[in-house]
């Protein structure tokens, strides 16, 4: 007879990652993860993800009701460490998740870049996993996240130049342009210790899109399609980099855009 387990919350999973649970609690989580594929995938994601959410929501963060947030955070009780018996600092992931929950009530998002979650669990498919992490991140974007005027060609070139050194690429506004879709900004992020370029766009009909790039030695792969977090993804790779274009544009149009930009980036 199979015992039905309650799926652990993200707070419990991150406490497990950090070693903040008692031996009994940790054993319970480990048993669930070994039996439940969904829980195992979520644990792997939380263990490896390290993307700076604050950069995506800087305008909202600047307008956040700080006093209200601090009051809410002050009500969160400290968690006693199962290993050391000492109260962890605010920056531990367990208390961070409490802060994140409070911040969402207040209508803002908090930077996860300071978390520094280690790569405790190895990836089954590196290229598949980084796309899953990016999809989780991009799914948080709204049109308001990318509000504002389209940068000039000169500003676009300057932002893209900031990605070149870390990625070993030479990106230009012409190479990454998407017909009918507005370029909004280029960011240098990090995934699993690797530089990750994110070029964000805003489609007037379907909302946020992104072209993301990481170094990869998995070899060339022709453009292919998949769906993640309700979004369409075109992904491909060459000898040195992996690419993905993600958004809510219909599949046929997304495939067309992906094949077009992949040719330009390979030229």
């Amino acid at each position: 007879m199979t015992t039905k387990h309650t799926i652990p919350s993200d707070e419990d999973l991150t406490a497990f990652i950090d070693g903040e649970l008692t031996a009994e609690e940790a054993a319970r989580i480990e048993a669930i993860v070994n039996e439940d594929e969904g829980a195992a995938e979520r644990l792997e994601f939380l263990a490896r993800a390290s993307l700076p959410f604050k950069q995506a929501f800087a305008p909202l963060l600047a307008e956040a009701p700080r006093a209200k947030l601090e009051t809410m955070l002050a009500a969160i009780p400290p968690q006693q460490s199962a290993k050391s018996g000492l109260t962890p600092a605010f920056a531990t992931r367990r208390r961070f998740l409490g802060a994140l929950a409070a911040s969402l009530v207040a209508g803002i998002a908090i930077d996860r870049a300071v978390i520094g979650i280690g790569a405790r669990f190895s990836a089954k498919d590196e290229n598949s996993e980084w796309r899953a992490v990016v999809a989780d991140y991009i799914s948080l974007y709204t049109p308001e996240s990318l509000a504002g005027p389209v940068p000039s060609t000169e500003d676009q070139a300057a932002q893209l130049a900031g990605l070149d050194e870390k990625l070993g690429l030479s990106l230009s506004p012409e190479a990454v342009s998407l017909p009918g879709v507005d370029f909004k900004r280029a960011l240098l992020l990090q995934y699993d210790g690797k530089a990750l370029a994110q070029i964000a766009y805003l489609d007037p009909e379907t909302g946020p899109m992104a072209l993301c790039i990481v170094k990869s030695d998995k070899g060339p792969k022709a453009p292919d399609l998949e769906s993640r977090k309700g979004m369409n993804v075109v992904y491909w790779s060459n000898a040195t980099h992996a690419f993905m274009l993600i958004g809510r544009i219909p599949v046929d149009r997304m495939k067309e855009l992906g094949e077009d930009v992949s040719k330009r980036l390979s030229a």
Side-chain angles (χ1 to χ4, degrees):
M1 180 177 178
T2 302
T3 302
K4 186 175 181 180
H5 297 287
T6 301
I7 301 301
S9 66
D10 281 2
E11 181 178 358
D12 287 339
L13 291 174
T14 49
F16 175 76
I17 292 167
D18 285 338
E20 294 182 3
L21 298 179
T22 64
E24 182 179 354
E25 290 173 327
R28 181 181 68 85
I29 297 293
E30 186 170 357
I32 294 173
V33 168
N34 287 336
E35 295 179 11
D36 189 285
E37 183 177 352
E41 290 178 353
R42 188 60 182 170
L43 180 64
E44 183 175 311
F45 167 72
L46 290 171
R48 295 180 65 87
S50 180
L51 289 174
F53 286 76
K54 181 179 178 180
Q55 294 185 24
F57 299 98
L60 293 177
L61 187 64
E63 298 174 2
R66 186 179 182 86
K68 181 178 179 180
L69 176 59
E70 290 179 346
T71 299
M72 297 172 77
L73 296 183
I76 300 174
Q79 176 67 31
Q80 198 72 9
S81 171
K83 284 186 173 179
S84 64
L86 299 177
T87 302
F90 173 81
T92 63
R93 283 170 282 287
R94 193 166 203 194
R95 293 197 67 192
F96 168 82
L97 286 172
L100 178 59
S103 72
L104 291 175
V105 173
I108 66 172
I110 291 180
D111 193 348
R112 279 199 67 177
V114 298
I115 297 177
I117 297 177
R120 176 171 173 175
F121 298 91
S122 60
K124 298 176 182 177
D125 178 346
E126 176 188 350
N127 283 339
S128 175
E129 185 177 286
W130 83 273
R131 296 196 304 272
V133 172
V134 169
D136 272 342
Y137 180 50
I138 299 301
S139 69
L140 298 177
Y141 276 47
T142 69
E144 289 74 23
S145 305
L146 300 173
V150 175
S152 66
T153 301
E154 291 76 14
D155 286 342
Q156 292 180 34
Q159 291 181 36
L160 292 170
L163 310 178
D164 291 346
E165 181 180 353
K166 293 290 186 180
L167 286 168
L169 289 172
S170 181
L171 301 173
S172 67
E174 294 75 21
V176 301
S177 66
L178 301 180
V181 181
D182 291 335
F183 177 109
K184 283 298 186 175
R185 66 188 181 213
L187 296 174
L188 182 64
L189 308 177
Q190 180 175 294
Y191 165 72
D192 198 20
K194 299 179 181 179
L196 187 157
Q198 180 206 98
I199 303 163
Y201 307 84
L202 187 61
D203 177 66
E205 295 183 1
T206 62
M209 295 182 63
L211 171 65
C212 297
I213 310 168
V214 294
K215 286 186 176 181
S216 174
D217 58 3
K218 301 300 180 181
K221 178 177 175 55
D224 203 350
L225 286 165
E226 64 183 3
S227 177
R228 292 184 181 274
K229 305 292 288 188
M231 296 174 285
N232 293 314
V233 180
V234 178
Y235 62 97
W236 68 96
S237 61
N238 58 25
T240 56
H241 295 83
F243 306 81
M244 66 179 288
L245 182 66
I246 181 170
R248 293 181 173 83
I249 284 181
V251 171
D252 289 346
R253 176 63 173 153
M254 180 65 80
K255 182 178 180 181
E256 179 183 319
L257 290 173
E259 290 178 346
D260 180 48
V261 74
S262 69
K263 291 175 183 177
R264 282 186 272 120
L265 289 172
S266 300

